[in-house]
Amino acid sequence: MTARAGAPVTIGAMESSSTTAGGGSRREATRQKLYEAAVTLIAEQGFSATTVDEIAERAGVAKGTVYYNFASKSVLFEELLRHGVGLLTASLREAAEKTDRDGGSKVDALDAMIRAGLVFINRYPAFTQLYVAELWRTNRAWQSTLMVVRQQAVAVVEGVLLDAVAGGELSDEIDIPLTAAALVGMVLVAALDWQAFQPERSLDDVHSALSRLLQGRVSGHR
Amino acid sequence: MTARAGAPVTIGAMESSSTTAGGGSRREATRQKLYEAAVTLIAEQGFSATTVDEIAERAGVAKGTVYYNFASKSVLFEELLRHGVGLLTASLREAAEKTDRDGGSKVDALDAMIRAGLVFINRYPAFTQLYVAELWRTNRAWQSTLMVVRQQAVAVVEGVLLDAVAGGELSDEIDIPLTAAALVGMVLVAALDWQAFQPERSLDDVHSALSRLLQGRVSGHR
DNA sequence: GTTTTTGCACTGACCAGTCAGTTCAAAAGT
DNA sequence: ACTTTTGAACTGACTGGTCAGTGCAAAAAC
């Protein structure tokens, strides 16, 4: 039922250094299973509605093990958030850098980042869901964690926009923070809608619809 | 600051026929207070983390009153959702129609809808927050309510896009459902970010940043 | 022999929903 | 006029259940 990500790297993975290294590898594997169980359950039901017993059961471990590995339910969740956003920013940054290396323009880099965003959301839909659901909540324990982590992600987009303006590729009249937020939102919402309401569409379809918007080919002035 | 439409209509209000009218007016006033209390609490904490006692206390009524007026906590929430999205779609539709009446183009209508969306979010930030947080959750009791209600809102945008394509104003290569979702997402996320992270900006700032994206003045082909 | 996991019983707080009883304003009765 | 009755609206203490987190001895893994 759940989307099986073929890759060994999942939402909670650090690197899981294949073999070797005497380091506590068993523990890491357990944490891994817990992350995976938690991410889907919380995405479906929300944080409060998800019980620790459920998480343990889905992960196939005893409840005590959860508390052996994490100080509390919310600490488990916070670490999940931190790691997930880490993966996303890395992926965005890499897309931008690759475009640079290949001699693409900054707008090309933005386009590549849109694609990277879609790929990420496609691979970790549950994580994305949960991130969006929590991002604008006030009054929660992990608010500060989220702010930090959000800023990291948005900063990558802002950086490319800044370069593009500096290089004369984009008008210097654009409002960088707002435009960055709008772009991120465009990708986020389009992708979640894609997953939820028209999963039969291909990633390329979604990507080209968004590209068109970015490049002003929807209602661009002739 | 907030765009005062003059009307006493709030998130849960039907019409609350000022005075007179023999109709059960007290009851409506109570429901109203409950809606208002619930919307902020749930936006801040999420549905499951918000207790019925809290809602009752904030509304200044006894817990029993909540159950006298609503069958259950989730029914209260569902009615809240239905009403809020009703207000939003009405506001979008009106913006589009007014533009038509004033002889504006379809792209002008989209622009007007963006503004209407921003005004709505600015007036009911808590509702918007809560809507976004719940929209893509699966497995919840009110899933079906949400789907219906979402489709109503998106359909308004799709309708205008369709007209614009039919009238040759937009390329017929655009993917209407995806573009509509992307536009909605753009507004939603930009507005929530504005509220949460740079509330000092004016609505006009946000609007013009989004307009620029819509009209291809960010990276439009010369 | 040390680290990690298990299994399970237990606690204390919290919470959705219930229900017997209260309030009060308007309708009915006198 | 005035009293009485009615019933919708509201109250808040109570119940039955749930859940985060604990404690610990024994097993498994390394």
Side-chain angles (χ1 to χ4, degrees), chain B residues 7-217:
Chain B
V9 180
T10 57
I11 246 328
M14 297 243 42
E15 260 295 83
S16 80
S17 48
S18 43
T19 44
T20 57
S25 176
R26 183 143 90 105
R27 195 150 190 223
E28 206 47 55
T30 304
R31 289 179 112 104
Q32 196 44 232
K33 284 191 287 182
L34 285 170
Y35 280 138
E36 264 165 68
V39 81
T40 45
L41 285 168
I42 296 178
E44 279 166 12
Q45 308 177 323
F47 176 81
S48 314
T50 300
T51 68
V52 175
D53 288 283
E54 278 176 316
I55 296 174
E57 192 193 338
R58 162 110 39 138
V61 302
K63 188 179 192 175
T65 305
V66 176
Y67 286 93
Y68 181 77
N69 283 283
F70 299 96
S72 68
K73 186 184 170 188
S74 34
V75 167
L76 162 55
F77 183 56
E78 270 180 76
E79 296 195 10
L80 197 54
L81 280 176
R82 247 192 299 274
H83 188 77
V85 177
L87 286 182
L88 173 62
T89 59
S91 154
L92 292 181
R93 222 187 299 272
E94 201 208 294
E97 278 163 12
K98 180 168 179 357
T99 311
D100 268 5
R101 263 183 275 117
D102 295 356
S105 69
K106 290 300 173 187
V107 173
D108 290 339
L110 284 173
D111 199 66
M113 285 166 72
I114 288 177
R115 173 167 278 267
L118 290 176
V119 169
F120 181 89
I121 297 171
N122 188 46
R123 199 192 306 183
Y124 308 118
F127 178 79
T128 310
Q129 225 170 292
L130 158 174
Y131 176 73
V132 169
E134 295 297 333
L135 186 55
W136 296 284
R137 269 210 213 310
T138 45
N139 268 358
R140 305 239 109 227
W142 51 80
Q143 249 307 101
S144 55
T145 304
L146 259 173
M147 292 256 318
V148 170
V149 123
R150 178 205 89 104
Q151 194 46 46
Q152 286 170 2
V154 173
V156 181
V157 180
E158 288 178 349
V160 175
L161 284 174
L162 203 65
D163 291 349
V165 170
E169 217 178 307
L170 295 186
S171 152
D172 62 358
E173 301 215 324
I174 70 168
D175 185 309
I176 291 184
L178 284 176
T179 306
L183 287 174
V184 170
M186 192 182 88
V187 176
L188 227 47
V189 173
L192 285 172
D193 254 63
W194 160 41
Q195 299 285 328
F197 305 117
Q198 17 182 0
E200 72 284 2
R201 308 299 301 269
S202 74
L203 195 149
D204 285 325
D205 279 356
V206 184
H207 181 218
S208 65
L210 297 183
S211 263
R212 210 169 251 124
L213 253 175
L214 170 67
Q215 304 187 351
R217 281 179 285 128

Side-chain angles (χ1 to χ4, degrees), chain A residues 16 32 37 44 47 64 73 78-79 101 118 122 124 127 134 136 140 164 170 186 190 222:
Chain A
S16 80
Q32 198 44 232
E44 279 166 14
F47 176 81
K73 186 186 171 188
E78 270 181 76
E79 295 195 12
R101 261 183 277 116
L118 290 174
N122 188 46
Y124 308 117
F127 178 79
E134 295 297 332
W136 296 283
R140 306 245 97 210
L170 295 187
M186 193 182 88
R222 281 294 110 66

Side-chain angles (χ1 to χ4, degrees), chain A residues 15 17 24 40 75 108 112 126 148 153 185 192:
Chain A
E15 260 295 85
S17 49
T40 45
V75 166
D108 290 339
V148 170
L192 285 173

Side-chain angles (χ1 to χ4, degrees), chain A residues 39-123:
Chain A
V39 82
T40 45
L41 286 168
I42 296 178
E44 279 166 14
Q45 309 178 326
F47 176 81
S48 316
T50 302
T51 70
V52 174
D53 289 285
E54 277 176 317
I55 296 173
E57 193 193 337
R58 162 104 48 132
V61 304
K63 187 179 185 176
T65 306
V66 177
Y67 285 93
Y68 183 78
N69 283 282
F70 298 95
S72 69
K73 186 186 171 188
S74 33
V75 166
L76 162 56
F77 184 55
E78 270 181 76
E79 295 195 12
L80 196 55
L81 281 176
R82 247 192 300 274
H83 189 79
V85 177
L87 286 182
L88 172 61
T89 60
S91 156
L92 292 181
R93 222 188 300 270
E94 201 208 295
E97 278 163 11
K98 180 168 179 357
T99 311
D100 268 5
R101 261 183 277 116
D102 295 355
S105 69
K106 290 300 172 185
V107 173
D108 290 339
L110 283 173
D111 199 67
M113 284 165 72
I114 287 177
R115 174 167 276 268
L118 290 174
V119 169
F120 181 87
I121 296 171
N122 188 46
R123 172 128 49 127

